[in-house]
Amino acid sequence: MSRGLYKQPGGKLVGVSVRLSDAVPAYSRECASSTQSVEQCRIDGDFFLDGDDKDSRRLLQDLENLLQSQQSASARDITRRLQAITANYPNVRLVGMTEEGIAIAFLRAITGSESRNAEDATNNGNIARSTKQYSGKQPEMHNALTQEEYLERWRALKPTVIHDKPRNPSEQMETDIAWAREVAADKREPTLRIWEWDAPAVVIGKFQSLEDEVNTAVAQKEGFTVVRRCTGGGAMFIEPGNTITYSLYAPLDFAQGISIEESYRLCDFWLVRALKELGLDVRFAGLNDIATQYGKLGGAAQRRFTPAEGGPGAILHHVTLAYDIDAEKMGRVLNTSREKMSDKAVKSAVKRVDPMRSQTGMSREDVVERLLDAARRVTM
């Protein structure tokens, strides 16, 4: 399999892996010219697909099927045809990536290059350079609600705040889905759950490639369980004493009338206030990261559940924060491509993560207690 990557500026990573019938095709000025065929094609990455789960799977399959017949098409033609496919799924939205990004990753895959040099080989440098910054890069500039309106929504939501018992990684994934579906069916009140882990884990995003994101042999040797969550986004490195994770299970109308990008800010409104109370200079970074001036603290992910049994539907929003981190171990367990870091000021995933321990001087237990208190106070 040959693999191509493209990091949407301000957005997420998309990867396309292909298996060709023969050798790598040669490219002319505008398009690939070869009698070869793409025998297999797979799209993966840390992007998000927002919408019905079945439709999301069908959309990805249709995009992959389309790419299998496109090795002799130009980048612009591939993009237009991908856009025609996504238009057939009006209830599913690509979040963190674009059709142009998929086309670029595909062309890199069939030239056998993961780097930006593939743009020169395919003469597609113009489309790569003209691809727009992902619109979610600075969504705070387009918020529909004020901070006071965020607070009003939280007071109306009044979630039950739970400090949950320790659960193993697989049970954590199952609990998230089960509780979200219960809220979607009006069988559970809105709930905010702070997790406790009973074992180390690597949690990969719904659309990520396991073999490309995780060094599975090292993970197994180090005692990490690898699990896949039901949301998009990137891989999370979990050690029980070094991680703080929370989930919000809220009815769909909690985020009614606002963009998906803004819904991240709404769901994390209480958390940002709490972290600022701890003395941290917190800000949102990109679509779904939470950071300070020293680096990334954590990342968020979402999934929407359709109404069930007459219920309101649900938003599952969860966040993992690094309280402390064994950076050397994380570097051994996780694989991070240069392309993924291509639009980052700091070119190391390890250096980008700056734990809360060093910034607060507090124990993890104290931080968790302060977060629980803040979550309860925001609804008063």
Side-chain angles (χ1 to χ4, degrees):
M1 295 285 281
S2 178
R3 180 168 167 81
L5 300 173
Y6 181 71
K7 173 63 168 60
Q8 193 75 38
K12 312 304 288 182
L13 182 80
V14 61
V16 177
S17 298
V18 299
R19 177 176 288 116
L20 297 171
S21 59
D22 291 303
V24 176
Y27 273 79
S28 66
R29 179 175 176 79
E30 281 296 329
C31 63
S33 177
S34 174
T35 59
Q36 296 175 323
S37 62
V38 177
E39 294 181 337
Q40 185 178 348
C41 180
R42 184 190 70 211
I43 299 172
D44 63 76
D46 59 1
F47 54 83
F48 299 88
L49 289 181
D50 188 78
D52 178 78
D53 201 41
K54 290 182 180 179
D55 282 349
S56 295
R57 289 197 299 269
R58 293 190 187 107
L59 171 58
L60 266 187
Q61 183 65 61
D62 285 352
L63 294 175
E64 291 168 345
N65 291 341
L66 184 280
L67 290 178
Q68 283 189 231
S69 64
Q70 299 302 302
Q71 73 272 12
S72 295
S74 70
R76 290 174 180 81
D77 285 342
I78 294 172
T79 297
R80 286 194 292 268
R81 291 165 189 173
L82 290 171
Q83 290 170 338
I85 294 293
T86 58
N88 293 329
Y89 293 86
N91 296 322
V92 180
R93 182 185 164 192
L94 307 181
V95 181
M97 70 166 177
T98 63
E99 293 89 349
E100 293 95 331
I102 298 172
I104 293 168
F106 173 70
L107 291 172
R108 291 176 178 177
I110 59 179
T111 60
S113 173
E114 289 190 13
S115 74
R116 294 181 178 270
N117 293 334
E119 293 158 19
D120 297 329
T122 61
N123 195 38
N124 286 312
N126 289 337
I127 188 171
R129 287 189 289 272
S130 67
T131 297
K132 295 179 180 179
Q133 292 267 338
Y134 172 59
S135 62
K137 185 177 182 182
Q138 295 295 339
E140 66 273 14
M141 297 175 65
H142 308 287
N143 284 356
L145 303 180
T146 65
Q147 294 293 296
E148 184 59 34
E149 288 170 324
Y150 282 178
L151 183 57
E152 289 175 3
R153 291 205 182 196
W154 272 92
R155 285 172 175 164
L157 183 68
K158 293 182 179 178
T160 300
V161 178
I162 295 174
H163 187 188
D164 200 14
K165 66 182 181 181
R167 299 175 187 264
N168 65 54
S170 295
E171 187 181 3
Q172 294 285 22
M173 304 303 106
E174 295 164 0
T175 299
D176 252 2
I177 294 175
W179 288 24
R181 285 178 173 162
E182 288 172 6
V183 171
D186 203 21
K187 294 181 178 180
R188 175 182 290 274
E189 295 295 320
T191 303
L192 191 154
R193 175 174 77 102
I194 292 186
W195 303 14
E196 292 294 344
W197 299 82
D198 75 355
V202 173
V203 183
I204 62 172
K206 182 176 182 179
F207 306 111
Q208 287 191 296
S209 165
L210 171 60
E211 59 269 26
D212 292 303
E213 298 294 334
V214 183
N215 188 326
T216 54
V218 173
Q220 183 177 14
K221 181 179 179 181
E222 298 280 2
F224 284 77
T225 299
V226 181
V227 292
R228 187 181 296 275
R229 63 178 180 271
C230 69
T231 57
M236 306 303 296
F237 178 82
I238 305 293
E239 291 185 294
N242 291 344
T243 304
I244 299 173
T245 306
Y246 93 88
S247 291
L248 175 68
Y249 315 89
L252 282 175
D253 63 5
F254 179 57
Q256 183 177 7
I258 63 175
S259 68
I260 294 169
E261 290 85 358
E262 186 175 1
S263 72
Y264 278 81
R265 278 103 180 110
L266 172 63
C267 291
D268 286 332
F269 171 73
W270 78 273
L271 178 64
V272 169
R273 293 209 335 173
L275 293 176
K276 287 182 177 180
E277 289 176 357
L278 296 181
L280 303 182
D281 181 14
V282 184
R283 74 282 310 268
F284 293 106
L287 169 67
N288 64 321
D289 286 348
I290 297 171
T292 71
Q293 70 272 35
Y294 302 111
K296 176 179 173 180
L297 284 180
Q302 284 186 7
R303 174 178 166 183
R304 283 157 174 76
F305 291 75
T306 55
E309 302 177 37
I315 298 174
L316 165 63
H317 177 94
H318 46 203
V319 173
T320 296
L321 300 168
Y323 168 73
D324 201 356
I325 198 162
D326 185 334
E328 195 277 331
K329 186 186 295 184
M330 184 178 76
R332 295 198 309 271
V333 171
L334 299 185
N335 300 322
T336 304
S337 68
R338 286 177 292 177
E339 177 67 18
K340 185 177 179 69
M341 305 303 296
S342 62
D343 67 340
K344 307 297 184 185
V346 178
K347 302 300 182 182
S348 165
V350 171
K351 291 180 181 178
R352 286 185 62 235
V353 179
D354 193 84
M356 296 170 64
R357 180 180 181 179
S358 64
Q359 296 188 50
T360 65
M362 299 170 60
S363 70
R364 181 185 179 278
E365 292 73 17
D366 287 342
V367 171
V368 169
E369 285 303 315
R370 293 283 291 273
L371 293 181
L372 288 165
D373 178 65
R376 293 172 180 132
R377 283 189 287 109
V378 78
T379 63
M380 294 179 181

